[in-house]
């Protein structure tokens, strides 16, 4: 008889490619994973993988079974969600990943709504960037991720996830209220020979990559004197006259004392939630998504800004 736990290990081997990676992902020893895979082969009576040098690869039969394993795991998630949904109970603990601008704006409003409506629901929040959060979701270490995407980004979600749009969030340039940069637009920066200091996320972060692309598209490479993923520090450096930065509309409600300028083309970032496919009907996850949607609907809309 097929064992769902062993099928998950086989599916993870298909997804990750090595026994070592599966062991690290599932927090087992290498030998324990090998034993489970060997038992899975005994369960079906055919070879499911073979050694190729120091690596292994699935046989044709292993690929077939791994594809079924993926569907069976999703069906198990759906079955659990539907059973819980039939009780009309929203309770227990869910684990959610998010990032700082959302954690400081939408998430507290959503938690307040949930505490009022569903006092038996506990939400555990983990700060992670969207790139790393997808792997946590795939490994079933978290239940829901709050993600972001920028123009030209490849979608982080795939057919194994259920994704819902949360908000299209406009991006803005912020400058000091006074001083040599207080009258400039981004289009003016190319003529300044890279002399204007930026406070910016590291380039390996989604926003950092976007701002670098944006600046290069307008004829200059940004002078990043202050590299940090902390948007509060970005805003503080701008407010005190040491830098300029790019932030989102959603974060404008959290800061003051800066000049806000429209960016060329009025770009936005896309905010979304994602859960594993089959779990979208889980009442606790549905309740959290609904609370986030209400929080997003009440977010201050700054509307189009003049290109001053």
């Amino acid at each position: 008889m097929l064992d769902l736990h062993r099928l998950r290990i086989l599916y993870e081997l298909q997804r990750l490619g090595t026994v070592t990676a599966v062991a690290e992902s599932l927090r087992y020893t290498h030998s324990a994973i090998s034993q489970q895979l060997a038992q899975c082969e005994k369960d079906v009576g055919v070879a499911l993988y073979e050694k190729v040098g120091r690596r292994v690869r699935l046989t044709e039969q292993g690929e077939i079974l791994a594809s079924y394993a993926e569907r069976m795991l999703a069906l198990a998630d759906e079955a659990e969600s539907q059973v819980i949904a039939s009780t009309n109970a929203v309770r227990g603990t869910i684990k959610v990943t998010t990032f700082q601008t959302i954690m400081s704006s939408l998430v507290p409003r959503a938690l307040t709504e949930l505490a009022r409506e569903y006092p038996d629901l506990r939400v555990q929040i983990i700060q992670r960037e969207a790139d790393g959060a997808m792997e946590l979701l795939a490994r079933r270490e978290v239940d829901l991720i709050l993600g972001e995407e920028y123009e030209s980004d490849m979608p982080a979600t795939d057919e194994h996830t259920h994704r819902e749009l949360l908000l299209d969030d406009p991006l803005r340039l912020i400058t000091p209220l006074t001083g040599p940069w207080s009258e400039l637009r981004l289009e003016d920066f190319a003529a300044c020979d890279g002399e204007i200091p930026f406070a910016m996320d590291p380039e390996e972060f989604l926003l950092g990559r976007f701002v670098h692309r944006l600046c290069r598209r307008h004829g200059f490479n940004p002078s990043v004197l202050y590299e940090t993923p902390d948007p509060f520090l970005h805003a503080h450096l701008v407010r005190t006259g040491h830098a300029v930065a790019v932030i989102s509309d959603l974060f404008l409600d959290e800061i003051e004392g800066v000049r806000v300028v429209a960016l060329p083309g009025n770009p936005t970032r896309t905010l979304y939630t994602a859960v594993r496919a089959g779990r979208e009907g889980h009442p606790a996850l549905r309740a959290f998504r609904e609370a986030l949607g209400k929080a997003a609907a009440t977010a201050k809309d700054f509307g189009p800004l003049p290109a001053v």
Side-chain angles (χ1 to χ4, degrees), residues 4 7-8 10-11 14 63-79 140 159-160 276-279:
L4 196 61
L7 289 177
R8 183 187 173 194
L10 183 67
Y11 167 65
Q14 181 192 52
E63 292 284 355
I64 292 171
L65 187 57
S67 296
Y68 274 98
E70 175 194 341
R71 291 153 59 185
M72 292 166 73
L73 290 165
L75 189 60
D77 277 337
E78 182 180 350
R140 299 166 177 259
E159 70 274 12
H160 308 306
R276 294 193 306 276
R279 300 204 77 205

Side-chain angles (χ1 to χ4, degrees), residues 170-174 207 231 234-235 245-249 251-252 255:
L171 298 164
R172 313 293 192 185
L173 173 71
I174 58 172
L207 179 56
H234 293 175
V246 172
I247 64 170
S248 77
D249 248 19
F251 196 62
L252 289 179
I255 61 173

Side-chain angles (χ1 to χ4, degrees), residues 98-118:
T98 184
F99 45 96
Q100 194 166 5
T101 53
I102 306 300
M103 189 182 288
S104 61
S105 54
L106 295 186
V107 168
R109 301 177 207 172
L111 293 177
T112 299
E113 169 79 11
L114 289 170
R116 181 172 58 249
E117 295 292 328
Y118 306 109

Side-chain angles (χ1 to χ4, degrees), residues 50-285:
E50 58 191 1
K51 288 187 178 180
V52 180
R54 296 185 177 181
R55 299 173 63 87
V56 298
R57 68 181 176 197
L58 296 185
T59 62
E60 178 185 354
Q61 292 72 33
E63 292 284 355
I64 292 171
L65 187 57
S67 296
Y68 274 98
E70 175 194 341
R71 291 153 59 185
M72 292 166 73
L73 290 165
L75 189 60
D77 277 337
E78 182 180 350
E80 178 188 12
S81 297
Q82 291 303 314
V83 168
I84 297 172
S86 71
T87 68
N88 295 317
V90 178
R91 60 173 183 264
T93 300
I94 58 172
K95 294 182 180 180
V96 174
T97 69
T98 184
F99 45 96
Q100 194 166 5
T101 53
I102 306 300
M103 189 182 288
S104 61
S105 54
L106 295 186
V107 168
R109 301 177 207 172
L111 293 177
T112 299
E113 169 79 11
L114 289 170
R116 181 172 58 249
E117 295 292 328
Y118 306 109
D120 295 327
L121 177 62
R122 184 169 177 259
V123 182
Q124 181 180 349
I125 305 291
I126 306 168
Q127 183 175 335
R128 292 289 188 278
E129 292 300 309
D131 288 348
M134 279 303 304
E135 179 60 23
L136 294 179
L137 186 66
R139 294 197 322 229
R140 299 166 177 259
E141 292 186 21
V142 299
D143 301 296
L144 180 146
I145 68 169
L146 271 157
E148 60 176 341
E149 286 175 0
Y150 295 81
E151 60 180 44
S152 303
D153 283 344
M154 292 292 292
T157 51
D158 55 25
E159 70 274 12
H160 308 306
T161 58
H162 181 273
R163 168 175 166 147
E164 282 187 359
L165 174 67
L166 179 60
L167 184 67
D168 284 323
D169 188 22
L171 298 164
R172 313 293 192 185
L173 173 71
I174 58 172
T175 74
L177 290 175
T178 60
W181 319 311
S182 60
E183 301 297 326
L184 296 181
R185 303 167 301 165
L186 189 77
E187 298 94 319
D188 302 321
F189 287 15
C192 298
D193 296 323
E195 295 179 356
I196 301 176
F198 272 79
M200 192 185 301
D201 283 20
E203 197 167 359
E204 63 265 26
F205 285 57
L206 292 174
L207 179 56
R209 287 202 296 272
F210 166 79
V211 178
H212 275 276
R213 289 197 304 262
L214 180 70
C215 293
R216 286 193 290 265
R217 197 160 63 239
H218 286 85
F220 69 98
N221 288 309
S223 174
V224 184
L225 295 192
Y226 312 102
E227 187 176 84
T228 169
D230 185 346
F232 287 99
L233 184 51
H234 293 175
H236 181 64
L237 287 164
V238 174
R239 182 169 53 249
T240 53
H242 298 291
V244 300
V246 172
I247 64 170
S248 77
D249 248 19
L250 200 59
F251 196 62
L252 289 179
D253 222 10
E254 309 298 319
I255 61 173
E256 57 184 15
V258 299
R259 169 177 169 263
V260 182
V261 190
L263 286 169
N266 295 310
T268 64
R269 65 173 179 171
T270 298
L271 305 181
Y272 63 89
T273 62
V275 301
R276 294 193 306 276
R279 300 204 77 205
E280 60 270 21
H282 192 290
L285 298 178

